Amino acid sequence: MANDDLGLETELRLGLPGVGAGAGAGADSDASGLVEKNEKKRMFSHISDHRSNDSKAVNKNQVVGWPPVCSYRRKNSFKRDEGSKMYVKVSMDGAPFLRKINLGTHKNYWDLVLALENLCEALKDDDNSDYVLIYEDKDGDWMLAGDVPWEMFCESCKKLRIKKKADAKGIGLHAKDLLKRFSKGE
Amino acid sequence: MVNYFPEEVLEHVFSFLTSHRDRNAVSLVCKSWYNVERFSRGKVFIGNCYAISPERLISRFPRVRSLTLKGKPHFADFNLVLHDWGGYVYPWIEAMAKGCTNLEELRLKRMLVSDASLELIAKSFPNFKSLVLVSCEGFTTDGLAAIASNCRFLRELDLQENEVEDPRGQWLSCFPDSCTSLASLNFACLKGEVNLAALERLVARCRNLKSLRLNHAVPPDVLQKILARAPQLVDLGAGSFVHDPESETYNKLKNVMQKCTSIRSLSGFLDVNARCLPAIYPICINLSSLNLSYAPGIYSKELVKLIRKCKKLQCLWILDTIGDKGLSVVASACKELQELRVFKSDPNDVGNAAVTEEGLVAISAGCPNLNSLLYFCRQMTNTALITVAKNCPNFIRFRLCTLDPITPDAVTMQPLDNGFGAIVQSCKGLKRLSVSGLLTDQVFLYIGMYAEQLEMLSIAFAGNSDKGMVYVLNGCKKLKKLEIRDSPFGNMALLADTGKYETMRSLWMSSCKVTFGACKSLAEKMPRLNVEIINEGDEMEGGSDDRQNVEKMYLYRTLVGPRKDAPDSVWTL
């Protein structure tokens, strides 16, 4: 990962720590499209696929398929806060109207990304461009999705926005978070 | 003498036979009965879709109007079977579309249903009335849109616990204004939004609507409006319920609930504030069925207050947050209880099950009509099971699941053999049994000896030797389905009575001690069985070692030989 000299670079990187270097905020087209190997092109390359980790991260003390709860029930029986329903608006560049999505029904970023991809299927341009997922937090700042743990994200997310990567440089991404990411040394 | 009855008379007599088993029996009497029966059979039940082919179904029963099909083995529910193992419904629909367009009803369980299948149903069967999908996957709401748009006489659309993708969310609006025939609509398992205005209009014009189960996307104020329009409902699944007992919506709901005097069955409440439950109190006295197993937000005190009012309850599905004390209240209030299911409140948390043998004993003492049980518990004792067996001799289904699969009697630390032995000895009508906890071969000796009506047995982490499995195969004459995981049964047991498997629907064995060699010789000996080996990794590359243990084996009787749609990872020997 060539992040060690990024502190002095003018090119902003939008990738998550641990993901292959993402495209810069105002990057040329050849710096974009760094998707995970062997994956079909996903809309948001800045959110990596943690699915394979989740499904195999079964506690050693837990036996596969025990207790025998059917998978539908397993997926739909997580504890929820009383009365919490997390519907947020989703806007997308180029779309004539907004949609709404319930964050409470998704378990993690990957789940959300899949749902958003389905939602935007009809609205996407055919140019197969990369998108970034940003959200407005409780302070009114626009943040890149994927940095904080899922639960924290759900709590602070007020609105979602899907922007074309090429247009993303106009957004004032919170500098503090970018620096925090880089200082992790990934 | 029977040959002198004209066929019309026979047909008329047979029309009183509704059970498919009775019909199967009469068709064996003689050739003319076989023929009369097959032309008059309207409902066909196929417990394993690979046991027979669609073409043979249609040629034997050309007038079939209602078809029930089951696909994947039961353990697929617990992620033990590959997603693409099989169970595709498309070939069945394709065949029916060509040869049997009178199809009115289709009931599918654990099958792979594509949107193309649903579209083909919608196009091919002009009288189609009823679609019931249970634990199926592979379709999206686009397929549902096709059904809604085209099935002019649709009476029932019942989706239970399916995994459904929802790309566009407008399927509900596809019911045309001319559709007024719906009597049952269940979309509780759908994750996406629905067009609320379209839903309200649909409910308003379907005056025969008796059963309605909504998903979480229908907000409480719309629920209230729907109930106001449909006070004739008998079965209600409330997706989203009101949260604020001070709100206008709460008051409106409360008032409208009072008028819903026909409701006998209640479910859903996917998110509910316990303080809003009093809105339901007026209808509790009429309820015969209550399913709160998807409502994690209700704590024991409120739950108990609610259940105390349900004096006529026959069926209760609940979470273990009710606790043993709560179950005591159920025992004292719900004297007519027949079916009880207590689920784990957090399936992923292995630590905190909240019911024990005490709750079960209390229920058995208070509810002598109990005949069906599913009970996830932290611990169990032989004494408790013996007491339960004495109190409730009418069990037809008894499924116990201890959190730790090999936990012994919590008091004596002995195996639970005697407890289950008491159950099978006392409950002479027992048809389905799931055992768990520390169990030796002894429990299977009891099962083989006493469980004369047993049709389905589920075994996990139990037994000591081949003898256990042999006791069951020898003793349980009516056994249809046997599923075993993580138990030390091996080749001797598997091959002890190969003819037995032709009298059964299927046998599942995973993480046991059967080898490839034994499976191969079984397959060779019994051509009317399909013996399938399911491989996870690449154990099967190149030549197989006959002495190697098989990870997963599924065998079933069939009249049509090995199937052609198995994925690479499934070998039919």
Side-chain angles (χ1 to χ4, degrees):
Chain A
M1 292 273 296
N3 279 354
D4 28 41
D5 52 4
L6 266 178
L8 299 174
E9 291 274 339
T10 51
E11 189 185 58
L12 290 177
R13 298 228 165 206
L14 299 184
L16 293 176
V19 181
D28 304 327
S29 51
D30 59 321
S32 68
L34 287 169
V35 293
E36 304 261 338
K37 282 212 184 89
N38 303 323
E39 288 274 328
K40 82 167 204 269
K41 177 101 163 70
R42 305 246 61 144
M43 256 175 93
F44 307 109
S45 51
H46 64 100
I47 295 181
S48 62
D49 179 0
H50 291 298
R51 268 181 313 177
S52 48
N53 293 337
D54 283 342
S55 61
K56 290 198 175 97
V58 176
N59 191 321
K60 277 211 192 95
N61 298 327
Q62 286 177 295
V63 178
V64 172
W66 195 270
V69 176
C70 77
S71 54
Y72 175 85
R73 189 173 282 279
R74 233 179 240 276
K75 285 183 198 158
N76 290 283
S77 292
F78 47 89
K79 286 195 168 90
R80 267 191 280 203
D81 294 339
E82 272 192 16
S84 88
K85 261 194 333 182
M86 300 182 254
Y87 277 103
V88 296
K89 287 184 187 170
V90 184
S91 60
M92 181 169 177
D93 279 357
F97 50 83
L98 279 60
R99 301 294 304 267
K100 263 203 166 162
I101 198 165
N102 183 355
L103 295 179
T105 59
H106 300 286
K107 288 193 299 264
N108 52 42
Y109 283 108
W110 188 253
D111 230 20
L112 175 67
V113 161
L114 282 181
L116 286 174
E117 284 185 355
N118 275 335
L119 210 64
C120 304
E121 191 64 47
L123 305 173
K124 254 170 38 178
D125 278 337
D126 282 330
D127 64 356
N128 225 13
S129 46
D130 254 1
Y131 292 85
V132 285
L133 180 64
I134 59 178
Y135 68 100
E136 187 181 354
D137 74 357
K138 284 190 171 140
D139 299 328
D141 295 316
W142 284 94
M143 317 287 290
L144 182 70
D147 287 339
V148 300
W150 171 252
E151 291 75 20
M152 198 186 294
F153 162 76
C154 285
E155 259 176 78
S156 51
C157 170
K158 278 191 6 221
K159 260 190 219 176
L160 282 169
R161 193 142 166 215
I162 301 173
K163 286 204 80 64
K164 286 215 177 114
K165 214 164 217 175
D167 298 337
K169 66 175 164 179
I171 307 292
L173 289 173
H174 216 263
K176 198 164 74 176
D177 283 70
L178 282 173
L179 291 174
K180 210 171 28 172
R181 234 190 346 272
F182 300 149
S183 70
K184 275 189 191 152
E186 284 275 27
Chain B
M1 183 182 80
V2 293
N3 289 330
Y4 297 129
F5 280 147
E7 292 193 346
E8 298 82 48
V9 174
L10 281 177
E11 198 178 312
H12 184 69
V13 171
F14 292 168
S15 68
F16 292 100
L17 297 174
T18 46
S19 135
H20 64 270
R21 287 184 192 189
D22 288 341
R23 282 199 161 249
N24 291 345
V26 304
S27 68
L28 293 174
V29 169
C30 65
K31 222 167 174 181
S32 89
W33 280 38
Y34 176 89
N35 279 323
V36 172
E37 196 284 315
R38 77 183 186 94
F39 281 110
S40 64
R41 172 112 56 145
K43 280 188 166 181
V44 177
F45 170 85
I46 296 177
N48 174 6
C49 64
Y50 291 119
I52 191 75
S53 71
E55 291 73 28
R56 284 181 69 157
L57 165 76
I58 296 170
S59 77
R60 179 170 171 191
F61 300 115
R63 304 225 182 102
V64 61
R65 281 175 296 103
S66 163
L67 179 60
T68 302
L69 283 170
K70 294 190 179 182
K72 290 190 177 128
H74 174 232
F75 275 1
D77 285 352
F78 316 128
N79 294 328
L80 291 177
V81 178
L82 307 161
H83 162 78
D84 59 347
W85 170 87
Y88 301 98
V89 77
Y90 192 86
W92 290 87
I93 302 180
E94 205 179 22
M96 300 287 291
K98 292 197 193 109
C100 205
T101 54
N102 284 329
L103 190 68
E104 292 180 9
E105 181 177 286
L106 192 59
R107 311 171 76 91
L108 306 176
K109 187 165 186 179
R110 282 190 214 101
M111 298 207 58
L112 287 174
V113 180
S114 58
D115 281 344
S117 310
L118 294 177
E119 282 152 22
L120 192 55
I121 293 173
K123 271 202 315 243
S124 317
F125 307 119
N127 286 333
F128 197 74
K129 294 197 172 75
S130 170
L131 182 64
V132 180
L133 302 177
V134 181
S135 301
C136 296
E137 55 183 333
F139 62 103
T140 76
T141 47
D142 288 352
L144 299 178
I147 297 282
S149 310
N150 297 304
C151 299
R152 293 189 302 144
F153 303 115
L154 197 67
R155 259 202 317 240
E156 177 176 28
L157 179 60
D158 185 357
L159 309 171
Q160 298 175 31
E161 305 198 342
N162 304 290
E163 295 290 335
V164 187
E165 291 300 317
D166 193 346
R168 262 170 276 277
Q170 288 307 313
W171 65 278
L172 202 71
S173 328
C174 293
F175 282 107
D177 289 341
S178 54
C179 170
T180 57
S181 48
L182 267 185
S184 166
L185 177 62
N186 173 6
F187 61 93
C189 64
L190 294 188
K191 305 235 182 29
E193 314 277 339
V194 288
N195 183 324
L196 299 172
L199 175 62
E200 283 183 59
R201 286 197 304 271
L202 183 64
V203 170
R205 65 180 183 269
C206 292
R207 304 312 311 157
N208 289 330
L209 193 66
K210 293 280 190 298
S211 168
L212 180 64
R213 297 192 184 192
L214 310 168
N215 74 351
H216 71 94
V218 180
D221 58 305
V222 175
L223 170 64
Q224 173 263 318
K225 282 193 232 164
I226 287 175
L227 289 177
R229 295 223 206 228
Q232 80 281 6
L233 280 179
V234 170
D235 168 34
L236 173 67
S240 190
F241 208 65
V242 65
H243 300 125
D244 180 3
E246 316 279 318
S247 64
E248 184 60 30
T249 309
Y250 176 77
N251 279 327
K252 285 196 187 153
L253 252 176
K254 210 164 156 204
N255 289 333
V256 84
M257 275 289 188
Q258 278 173 335
K259 302 204 181 76
C260 295
T261 52
S262 303
I263 294 184
R264 298 286 173 271
S265 163
L266 207 52
S267 63
F269 297 95
L270 309 170
D271 60 358
V272 60
N273 182 335
R275 291 182 302 143
C276 293
L277 286 180
I280 312 175
Y281 287 174
I283 56 169
C284 286
I285 186 62
N286 297 326
L287 287 182
S288 58
S289 170
L290 180 60
N291 179 356
L292 292 172
S293 63
Y294 284 104
I298 308 182
Y299 292 99
S300 188
K301 205 168 57 145
E302 299 301 331
L303 192 50
V304 156
K305 259 201 249 177
L306 181 73
I307 292 180
R308 258 212 186 94
K309 297 180 183 291
C310 302
K311 302 236 181 270
K312 292 214 204 117
L313 211 57
Q314 292 176 14
C315 175
L316 177 63
W317 290 26
I318 200 80
L319 293 176
D320 62 4
T321 44
I322 192 171
D324 287 332
K325 290 221 181 75
L327 287 176
S328 297
V329 175
V330 174
S332 64
C334 309
K335 293 302 186 189
E336 296 180 36
L337 199 66
Q338 294 179 23
E339 175 174 339
L340 175 67
R341 297 197 191 191
V342 181
F343 294 95
K344 278 211 40 56
S345 51
D346 190 349
N348 301 316
D349 170 14
V350 197
N352 301 322
V355 296
T356 71
E357 76 277 11
E358 285 179 21
L360 185 58
V361 169
I363 289 280
S364 73
C367 311
N369 293 333
L370 199 62
N371 62 40
S372 175
L373 179 76
L374 172 62
Y375 198 72
F376 284 84
C377 56
R378 188 172 64 222
Q379 63 186 52
M380 188 48 56
T381 66
N382 283 308
T383 311
L385 285 173
I386 292 169
T387 308
V388 169
K390 220 170 27 186
N391 291 340
C392 296
N394 298 320
F395 274 114
I396 299 175
R397 282 176 291 272
F398 191 90
R399 293 194 280 164
L400 196 80
C401 178
T402 55
L403 207 49
D404 172 357
I406 50 171
T407 190
D409 180 316
V411 170
T412 66
M413 304 312 277
Q414 293 300 301
L416 290 171
D417 299 335
N418 291 340
F420 282 106
I423 294 284
V424 292
Q425 198 176 0
S426 164
C427 305
K428 309 224 185 293
L430 193 68
K431 288 194 178 161
R432 182 170 179 182
L433 177 65
S434 299
V435 295
S436 74
L438 184 65
L439 296 164
T440 72
D441 286 345
Q442 186 72 8
V443 72
F444 300 115
L445 175 67
Y446 292 144
I447 292 174
M449 248 185 351
Y450 296 113
E452 289 172 8
Q453 302 299 320
L454 195 67
E455 295 178 7
M456 181 171 177
L457 178 61
S458 307
I459 301 171
F461 301 93
N464 311 113
S465 75
D466 287 332
K467 283 201 289 202
M469 184 169 161
V470 173
Y471 291 142
V472 170
L473 291 174
N474 283 345
C476 300
K477 301 291 178 214
K478 298 216 175 156
L479 195 63
K480 292 258 161 308
K481 289 192 281 185
L482 180 57
E483 47 186 25
I484 307 173
R485 63 167 291 185
D486 294 275
S487 300
F489 306 135
N491 298 339
M492 194 283 265
L494 181 70
L495 299 173
D497 182 1
T498 56
K500 172 83 175 169
Y501 304 128
E502 280 191 1
T503 69
M504 291 167 54
R505 188 186 300 170
S506 65
L507 167 68
W508 167 281
M509 291 181 78
S510 61
S511 305
C512 296
K513 293 202 160 111
V514 292
T515 65
F516 283 115
C519 293
K520 276 197 247 178
S521 69
L522 177 61
E524 231 172 70
K525 192 166 172 215
M526 308 291 298
R528 282 192 302 205
L529 296 180
N530 278 351
V531 180
E532 294 186 5
I533 308 294
I534 301 174
N535 309 304
E536 302 287 87
D538 34 28
E539 319 152 351
M540 294 300 296
E541 303 247 324
S544 60
D545 181 355
D546 278 5
R547 286 161 303 166
Q548 208 181 339
N549 277 357
V550 164
E551 194 43 46
K552 293 179 186 173
M553 180 206 72
Y554 180 56
L555 69 81
Y556 52 89
R557 69 179 173 192
T558 178
L559 293 175
V560 290
R563 59 190 175 106
K564 299 185 180 65
D565 62 2
D568 290 336
S569 44
V570 175
W571 280 24
T572 307
L573 298 179

